[in-house]
Amino acid sequence: MMMQLSGLFRYPVKSVRGHSLAGAMVEQRGIAGDRRWMLIDANGRFLTRRQFPDMALLDVTAGDDHIVFDHPRRGRCEAAIPGGDAETTTASVWRDTLLVQLGNPAANAFLTAALGRPVRLAYQPDDSLRPIDPAWSRPGEHVSLADGFPLLVTTEASLAALNERLATPVTMAHFRPSIVIAGAEPWAEDRWRHIRIGGAILRIAKPCSRCIIVTQQPLTGERLDGNEPLTTLRAMGHAGTGGVMFGQNAIPDRTGVIRVGDEVEVLEEGAGNV
């Protein structure tokens, strides 16, 4: 059966909800508009659902020059992409430090009230470059505010194989992928090295090590099933020295437009990398 792109997702704000897309431009940093915003504390440290699961309650939609937050108790707030004269500061994402522009005070007040702690909205401008870990990348390759790589590729078949072993099935939304592929065999993505989708060619870099976020309900942040699906993935052998794995991190070798329904072609395979 022909493999095809069955899901395409963008997450405008790091650790906040994302939305499906019918098509998108794959840029060097990933899906256009993906994770160019984040919430930071007074020290410039990024906020994540690992520590603050109630971030899952924040919905966000992206326009050409702004984003709109929705919260079930606090309502709605719009934030424009900062202009060239916006206030800047340094912020940190894991071990990386980069320059960010700060959002407007109204958005900061809205987000502070929604999360019950002082936060600021920060934006990564085009000229703020964050190199990908050189152990897995080439010189000149950069990433947005995602954890480490421009794209995360998953397959429907691997999710189905996992759910066969779970008492309570999980959805793909638990894993927050960029790209979902239908028509592959379970765990085939662990052998891929290069794939073509539409106008883009992606280089598979390494398996994605999963954290506590995959145990949270995608729309609420609640943990209803203990440490699942991490426990089952480990029992299935999808774990290594880097942790429990699901999905593959990818880097664009060639940028281009991709659309749901596009054929997926495997250009190079190798041994399983989990």
Side-chain angles (χ1 to χ4, degrees):
M1 185 172 68
M2 181 186 76
M3 293 194 302
Q4 62 180 181
L5 179 66
S6 61
L8 179 60
F9 298 89
R10 178 176 62 190
Y11 309 87
V13 182
K14 185 175 181 64
S15 261
V16 174
R17 292 183 194 173
H19 288 278
S20 62
L21 303 171
M25 179 69 184
V26 175
E27 301 177 338
Q28 197 271 326
R29 294 190 232 202
I31 303 298
D34 184 71
R35 280 169 276 217
R36 297 293 293 274
W37 302 81
M38 65 179 174
L39 308 185
I40 60 175
D41 64 18
N43 297 316
R45 180 72 175 172
F46 78 105
L47 272 64
T48 167
R49 276 176 48 188
R50 295 167 181 85
Q51 285 77 37
F52 307 110
D54 53 342
M55 290 178 70
L57 295 173
L58 281 167
D59 199 2
V60 61
T61 52
D64 292 336
D65 58 358
H66 68 281
I67 56 174
V68 178
F69 288 99
D70 282 285
H71 188 271
R73 295 186 299 274
R74 297 291 176 175
R76 173 172 290 197
C77 179
E78 180 176 317
I81 292 177
D85 59 348
E87 179 185 356
T88 60
T89 189
T90 54
S92 60
V93 179
W94 300 118
R95 293 176 293 178
D96 299 329
T97 300
L98 70 157
L99 191 71
V100 295
Q101 296 174 312
L102 297 179
N104 58 61
N108 294 343
F110 173 85
L111 294 166
T112 293
L115 297 176
R117 58 187 59 86
V119 300
R120 293 178 291 171
L121 178 63
Y123 177 76
Q124 180 191 25
D126 290 342
D127 59 358
S128 178
L129 301 180
R130 181 177 167 230
I132 302 171
D133 185 339
W136 306 100
S137 66
R138 299 167 181 165
E141 292 181 328
H142 299 93
V143 64
S144 64
L145 302 174
D147 275 351
F149 292 87
L151 298 163
L152 174 63
V153 178
T154 63
T155 67
E156 291 184 357
S158 295
L159 178 66
L162 169 61
N163 278 331
E164 287 178 359
R165 299 280 295 271
L166 290 172
T168 304
V170 296
T171 66
M172 194 66 85
H174 283 76
F175 297 99
R176 295 172 64 83
S178 313
I179 287 169
V180 182
I181 293 171
E185 296 180 356
W187 317 113
E189 65 273 24
D190 299 343
R191 302 189 301 272
W192 296 342
R193 296 296 178 267
H194 287 87
I195 60 174
R196 178 189 288 119
I197 307 174
I201 294 178
L202 311 181
R203 183 172 82 253
I204 303 301
K206 66 182 292 290
C208 184
S209 177
R210 309 316 306 225
C211 68
I212 195 174
I213 288 178
V214 304
T215 71
Q216 300 172 353
Q217 297 301 305
L219 299 182
T220 65
E222 296 174 285
R223 296 183 68 189
L224 302 181
D225 299 296
N227 207 41
E228 292 292 9
L230 294 175
T231 299
T232 295
L233 280 168
R234 184 179 295 278
M236 294 173 71
H238 293 277
T241 56
V244 179
M245 310 295 181
F246 186 91
Q248 294 286 332
N249 292 301
I251 301 170
D253 267 357
R254 187 175 78 190
T255 61
V257 174
I258 62 175
R259 297 180 176 86
V260 171
D262 280 349
E263 181 179 358
V264 177
E265 180 184 2
V266 178
L267 302 178
E268 181 184 357
E269 284 189 292
N273 63 3
V274 173

